[in-house]
Amino acid sequence: QVQLVESGGGLVQAGGSLTLSCAASGFTFSSNPMAWYRQAPGKQGDLVARINSGGTTNYGDSVKGRFTITRDNAKNTLYLQMNNLKIEDTAVYYCNADVQSTLYRISSYWGQGTQVTVSS
């Protein structure tokens, strides 16, 4: 049973920092691509950052240079370090894993989300 549990969200002032964590279980974390997405009220959810099994990363344009995605395979944990937070970063942040469960099927799994609120 795949499970993703986010933590670390909260209220922070603009310019501040937060680190989000995603604890993963139920699949081989070390070989699986992982990602963070976010969705603000009334807006389309979009990719924040992605990291593959080899450590290659990519980022949404709006967070490049401010956010860093990392993974600790020994702990089955994904992280998102968020620096210089802006009000526009306010959203629910979701951890994502696309897991090949059979030869013919890849399933997308999501955590429950963690709220990040950036205030002025």
Side-chain angles (χ1 to χ4, degrees):
Q1 183 69 35
V2 172
Q3 189 172 46
L4 303 170
V5 181
E6 301 97 333
S7 61
L11 176 64
V12 63
Q13 290 189 349
S17 298
L18 283 175
T19 299
L20 307 183
S21 298
C22 171
S25 61
F27 65 102
T28 305
F29 176 84
S30 60
S31 64
N32 216 88
M34 301 293 298
W36 290 97
Y37 288 78
R38 69 186 183 186
Q39 187 169 33
K43 299 197 70 175
Q44 179 77 34
D46 56 13
L47 176 71
V48 177
R50 191 176 189 273
I51 185 168
N52 72 9
S53 60
T56 301
T57 60
N58 61 344
Y59 296 89
D61 288 342
S62 63
V63 308
K64 286 178 181 176
R66 299 188 296 119
F67 291 10
T68 304
I69 186 171
T70 58
R71 64 194 299 158
D72 187 337
N73 289 335
K75 296 181 179 179
N76 283 4
T77 302
L78 179 73
Y79 301 97
L80 184 69
Q81 175 65 49
M82 305 185 294
N83 297 324
N84 192 25
L85 282 159
K86 304 178 183 299
I87 292 173
E88 307 92 89
D89 297 319
T90 295
V92 179
Y93 285 70
Y94 296 93
C95 179
N96 165 256
D98 292 337
V99 181
Q100 186 169 3
S101 56
T102 73
L103 181 63
Y104 307 106
R105 180 166 60 90
I106 296 175
S107 299
S108 293
Y109 294 92
W110 301 87
Q112 82 287 350
T114 186
Q115 175 72 49
V116 173
T117 302
V118 184
S119 69
S120 60

